[in-house]
Amino acid sequence: MKIIILLLNLCILLIHGVECILPLIPIGVGFTGAGIAGYSYLKCRIFECCDEKSVPADLTLLNKLLTEQLYGQQIAHETVLNALRGHFHNHEPPKPLALSFHGLSGSGKNYVVSMIAKALYQKGEQSEHYHFFNGRIDFPLERKVQEYREQLLQHITEALNKCDKSLFVFDEVDKMPEGLLNVLVPLLDYQTTRKGVNRNKAIYVFLSNTGSVQIVKRLLELWEAGKRRESMTLQDFENLIAIGAFNERGGFHKSDTIETSVIDHYVPFLPLEEVHVIRCVEFAFKKRGVTPTSEMVDEIMTHVTYGPEPHKLYSKAGCKRLEQKVASLVYRKKKREVETKV
C-alpha cells in the first residue's frame, strides 16, 4: 500500500502533460482495482477530463450571464438557453445540438459563445473540449476545400473520441468555401452510438453575418406595424434567416446542412438600439472598475453610427469597437489624474 501511495504522490508532480507511470507498474493482487481507481481519480484532479468536474454544464450560470451581460437579445437568450436545457435534460439525445447564430457584426454572437463555453466547461474557452474554427483564417482557399473537409472530419472525430460533450464553434461561416460544411451532415444528423462513442452529446454552433439584411428588414416591418421588440419571437425571423443564408454566398450557400434540416435553431441577433449600446458601454466601464459619468458615456457614444435610412434606429456595428474606446478613455483619465497629483 505504501508503494501505491508513493506512486500516486509522484503522479501529482506530473502536471505538464506527462502520463502517470502508475499503469505501467505491476501492482499486487488486491491492489489493482484501487490502483486504477486512484490513478483515474488523480489524473482528473490534475488534468482536464470529460467528467462532471471538467464539464459541469452549469446552465444556471449561463442564464445569469445572459441576463446580466447580453442586451436587447431576448430571442437569442431564450432560444439558446432552452435549446441547451433540452439537450442536456435528455441523457441520450437522438442527435447533436446544432445552433446557427445570424446577425450584424457586434450584435453579440461571439459574446454568447464565450458565455456558453464558460458555463459548459470549468476552463471555459481554454478547455481542450472547446474547438474554434474561423472561416477566414482556417479555411482561406476555395481550391483546398476537399483537404479542409478531411482535416475537419479527422479533428472532430478525434475530439469526440476524447470527450463526447465537445463544443465546436464555426465563426465567419460566410467566409468559408462553399461545400465545406457538407462534411458535417452525417455528424449532425440523427445517429446511433458507434464503437462506444456517443456523438449525439456534442454541440455545434455556427456564426454568420448571412441573413442580416433579412433580419433588419423584418425588424423594421414589425416596428412599423407597432410590434414591440420584447414581444417578437423566433418564429418572426427563423425561416427568413434560413432562406437568406442558403441563398447568400459563403459556407451556407446551397449547403446540405440547411437543405437536410440538420440545424436545429436559426437564432437571430437583432441590431442594437441606442439604449442597448449604452448598457454595453456602462458594462465596459464597470469591468475596469470605473463608474462612468454621463459625460464619459456620451463621449463613447459619439463613435456610434446608426442606420438604416430614414429611421436610423440601429447601431451599424452594435457594441463592437466600444471596448477599445472605453479602455482608451479610462487610460487617459487615469493618466491625467497622475499628472495632476505630480
Side-chain angles (χ1 to χ4, degrees):
M1 181 62 75
K2 290 182 179 179
I3 295 176
I4 293 175
I5 294 174
L6 175 61
L7 292 173
L8 289 176
N9 286 333
L10 285 174
C11 287
I12 296 176
L13 301 177
L14 304 178
I15 60 174
H16 298 294
V18 182
E19 286 294 331
C20 175
I21 61 173
L22 180 61
L24 304 179
I25 299 178
I27 301 175
V29 177
F31 295 96
T32 303
I36 294 174
Y39 166 68
S40 298
Y41 170 79
L42 201 55
K43 182 179 180 182
C44 290
R45 296 294 293 180
I46 300 171
F47 306 109
E48 187 177 26
C49 288
C50 192
D51 57 2
E52 290 185 4
K53 176 178 176 292
S54 296
V55 191
D58 187 349
L59 300 186
T60 300
L61 172 61
L62 177 59
N63 186 37
K64 182 175 185 292
L65 293 172
L66 291 170
T67 300
E68 296 177 352
Q69 300 179 27
L70 183 67
Y71 313 120
Q73 304 294 0
Q74 82 282 354
I75 296 176
H77 181 155
E78 293 171 5
T79 304
V80 169
L81 188 62
N82 290 334
L84 287 168
R85 281 172 172 167
H87 183 67
F88 284 106
H89 180 73
N90 190 343
H91 296 294
E92 295 295 333
K95 70 180 294 295
L97 178 61
L99 304 171
S100 191
F101 294 175
H102 296 259
L104 293 171
S105 178
S107 56
K109 301 185 296 294
N110 286 90
Y111 201 31
V112 170
V113 165
S114 69
M115 294 180 193
I116 293 173
K118 187 177 292 186
L120 291 187
Y121 306 115
Q122 184 185 39
K123 293 186 176 182
E125 291 174 281
Q126 302 305 312
S127 170
E128 61 184 41
H129 309 317
Y130 173 82
H131 306 270
F132 183 89
F133 306 91
N134 181 282
R136 193 193 304 267
I137 298 172
D138 295 310
F139 315 108
L141 305 175
E142 292 276 353
R143 59 182 173 80
K144 298 182 69 173
V145 64
Q146 184 56 41
E147 181 180 335
Y148 294 150
R149 283 179 177 177
E150 295 170 1
Q151 293 173 351
L152 183 57
L153 185 59
Q154 181 180 355
H155 182 107
I156 292 175
T157 300
E158 291 176 355
L160 290 174
N161 287 337
K162 192 169 187 179
C163 183
D164 55 7
K165 300 183 186 70
S166 292
L167 171 62
F168 303 97
V169 178
F170 299 85
D171 192 14
E172 294 198 275
V173 170
D174 44 304
K175 301 298 188 295
M176 291 182 180
E178 293 180 18
L180 170 64
L181 296 178
N182 290 346
V183 74
L184 300 180
V185 171
L187 294 170
L188 298 176
D189 212 342
Y190 291 84
Q191 55 188 296
T192 57
T193 301
R194 298 177 183 177
K195 298 180 180 180
V197 177
N198 188 340
R199 298 181 176 182
N200 295 339
K201 294 183 179 181
I203 299 170
Y204 297 78
V205 181
F206 305 93
L207 286 70
S208 174
N209 290 339
T210 55
S212 298
V213 173
Q214 291 83 356
I215 290 173
V216 174
K217 182 180 178 181
R218 180 60 172 156
L219 183 60
L220 280 172
E221 291 173 351
L222 294 170
W223 175 77
E224 289 172 346
K227 191 168 186 177
R228 297 173 60 250
R229 185 184 183 108
E230 293 74 18
S231 63
M232 296 176 191
T233 66
L234 181 64
Q235 288 72 27
D236 289 321
F237 298 93
E238 191 169 31
N239 188 52
L240 64 89
I241 292 174
I243 294 173
F246 187 74
N247 290 314
E248 292 181 37
R249 290 189 60 80
F252 277 141
H253 185 238
K254 308 298 182 184
S255 173
D256 290 349
T257 54
I258 295 178
E259 203 162 34
T260 57
S261 301
V262 292
I263 294 177
D264 301 297
H265 303 282
Y266 293 91
V267 185
F269 281 72
L270 308 184
L272 301 182
E273 299 172 13
E274 183 181 44
V275 62
H276 307 127
V277 179
I278 289 175
R279 292 188 66 188
C280 288
V281 171
E282 291 173 340
F283 184 71
F285 277 110
K286 181 181 177 181
K287 286 195 297 184
R288 290 168 174 78
V290 175
T291 301
T293 63
S294 59
E295 290 78 13
M296 293 167 71
V297 173
D298 289 344
E299 180 176 340
I300 300 299
M301 292 299 291
T302 61
H303 299 284
V304 181
T305 56
Y306 298 90
E309 299 288 352
H311 305 296
K312 294 186 176 181
L313 294 173
Y314 312 118
S315 168
K316 291 183 178 180
C319 291
K320 204 164 189 178
R321 295 173 57 243
L322 297 184
E323 284 270 352
Q324 289 82 356
K325 300 297 183 183
V326 169
S328 177
L329 178 57
V330 170
Y331 173 77
R332 283 189 282 116
K333 291 285 186 183
K334 290 183 177 179
K335 184 179 179 182
R336 288 172 190 168
E337 290 174 3
V338 171
E339 291 173 347
T340 302
K341 291 179 180 178
V342 173

